[in-house]
Amino acid sequence: MADSTPPTQLTAQPPPDRPVYVIGGGPGGLSAAYALRARGIRAVVLERSDRVGASWRRHYDRLHLHTTRRLSALPGLPMPRRFGRWVSRDNVVRYLEKYAEHHRLEIVTGVEVSRIDPAPDGTGWLLHATGGRELTGAAVVVATGCNHTPHLPDWPGRAAFTGEFLHAGEYRSGTPYAGRDVLVVGVGNTGAEIAVDLVESGASRVRLAVRTVPHLVRRSTAGWAAQYSGILVRRLPVGLVDRISRVQAKVAVPDLSAHGLPRPDTGLYSRVKQGAIPVQDVGLIDAVRTGKVGIVAAVEGFEDGKVLLADGTRISPDTVIAATGYVRALEGLVGHLGVLDSRGRPVAHGARTPKAAPGLYFTGFTNPISGNLREMALDAVRIAKAVARDRSGKVSRLPG
């Protein structure tokens, strides 16, 4: 968390003509803007790309939601039944476009906010944006999301690797990799699905480098979506949920120890609380069980044009795809305000604002077991309610 002097104390309520600025035109930002508008509060969405849903447009082609259509809709507009139970990436994008149009949201594209400061007059917030813009808002909702900036480990020797190397954010489909030997690094949901996609697209060999064994869950069992279980148990004690999920896994998921994926030695919900969501199976279990995807040790670096694994093995894939996740990249935006923890995560989320920064809201920066879109939709309504309450006269004051 960045050290800083406390922001200027709020001395009065912001002028009524100031809008609430929402940074990010993804699901979290759009739903927050709608919820604010529904309460009669002007909300302006600032999106750095040229269209809404930019991060969704960059995802790989075969991606479908792991949460159900009904429980993934944003407030004020259901997802069409024709999208099916597991909504595709393209239909998510269509839905976000329709959502913005249907609710007539005020969206300004091509504007990136680089820094947020307290407004000079002590009321609201000053946003520094593209082209030297300075925008003053009554409140700010930061909804830039967890998938802001691709993360690549600083592997020694990577620059000398002669094969193809790319981050999963650049991957679109397995078609270009037919007949090729591919190593996927990272076994989150993205890495797991890319590995399956490569197999189905005809890659000659697919290996998956695993550092921490994931929890594998069936996306749906006998019609019961894993999301339903996540909603039911989200408020139960962590230890209890760990025990329940351990029993459930033994029934639903085969033991893959002989194939390099033993059962995790830490609980599922304990992992979730640390920020690691389980991997929902879309074909990985069968691919590993049948040997179509080989499990190898974690990548430690690159030597002499080869990939060095943690067990000392050196392999020579044609292509390395790093499914190593993203970073929130909030430090430059708000790090100086003392609102981030040691891992760069907001210290407050949803309708709660950091004590040092009332009127500064964050949404979409967690990985809840009950579904990210569902929780962002709930957060949007809560945030709008909190903003409306503050505008009615109950203004929190920043520490002086």
Side-chain angles (χ1 to χ4, degrees), residues 3-235:
D3 292 329
S4 64
T5 56
T8 303
Q9 181 173 336
L10 284 176
T11 57
Q13 193 171 359
D17 59 338
R18 285 184 183 172
V20 173
Y21 283 108
V22 180
I23 306 174
L30 296 180
S31 57
Y34 160 72
L36 288 162
R37 182 185 175 102
R39 286 183 171 269
I41 300 169
R42 184 188 174 201
V44 179
V45 177
L46 303 176
E47 167 56 46
R48 64 174 178 168
S49 74
D50 60 349
R51 293 176 292 181
V52 300
S55 64
W56 277 94
R57 298 175 192 275
R58 294 194 300 267
H59 287 312
Y60 47 93
D61 295 346
R62 69 171 280 154
L63 177 65
H64 285 68
L65 291 179
H66 292 162
T67 53
T68 66
R69 178 194 74 252
R70 187 173 63 84
L71 295 179
S72 299
L74 304 181
L77 186 68
M79 285 188 173
R81 290 179 61 87
R82 68 178 183 275
F83 284 179
R85 193 183 196 198
W86 311 107
V87 182
S88 70
R89 176 206 64 185
D90 288 348
N91 280 334
V92 170
V93 172
R94 292 186 183 99
Y95 173 72
L96 295 178
E97 291 174 337
K98 181 64 177 179
Y99 191 86
E101 176 187 357
H102 178 79
H103 292 305
R104 300 181 180 179
L105 301 181
E106 188 173 351
I107 301 170
V108 183
T109 58
V111 175
E112 182 171 10
V113 179
S114 57
R115 182 181 170 97
I116 301 173
D117 285 311
D121 64 359
T123 67
W125 297 95
L126 177 66
L127 284 66
H128 305 271
T130 306
R133 293 180 179 88
E134 291 189 343
L135 309 170
T136 305
V140 176
V141 181
V142 181
T144 50
C146 290
N147 295 340
H148 185 275
T149 302
H151 168 67
L152 282 174
D154 187 19
W155 286 309
R158 183 172 69 83
F161 179 60
T162 56
E164 181 183 11
F165 182 95
L166 66 151
H167 186 270
E170 302 172 81
Y171 178 92
R172 292 296 172 267
S173 78
T175 303
Y177 306 99
R180 296 176 66 85
D181 180 342
V182 185
L183 173 67
V184 181
V185 185
V187 68
N189 279 292
T190 296
E193 189 155 4
I194 286 176
V196 172
D197 193 39
L198 289 164
V199 168
E200 295 178 355
S201 299
S204 63
R205 186 175 190 180
V206 179
R207 285 172 285 193
L208 189 57
V210 177
R211 183 173 299 278
T212 303
V213 178
H215 283 273
L216 300 173
V217 299
R218 301 287 189 182
R219 185 171 66 176
S220 179
T221 303
W224 179 265
Q227 183 185 16
Y228 298 161
S229 296
I231 293 171
L232 289 175
V233 306
R234 72 191 189 283
R235 299 193 187 282

Side-chain angles (χ1 to χ4, degrees), residues 232-245:
L232 289 175
V233 306
R234 72 191 189 283
R235 299 193 187 282
L236 295 179
V238 173
L240 175 60
V241 179
D242 284 347
R243 291 193 292 274
I244 293 171
S245 61

Side-chain angles (χ1 to χ4, degrees), residues 20 36 41 139 141 361 382-392:
V20 173
L36 288 162
I41 300 169
V141 181
Y361 300 87
R382 294 167 184 152
I383 289 170
K385 183 178 179 180
V387 172
R389 181 189 65 234
D390 287 347
R391 288 170 72 95
S392 69

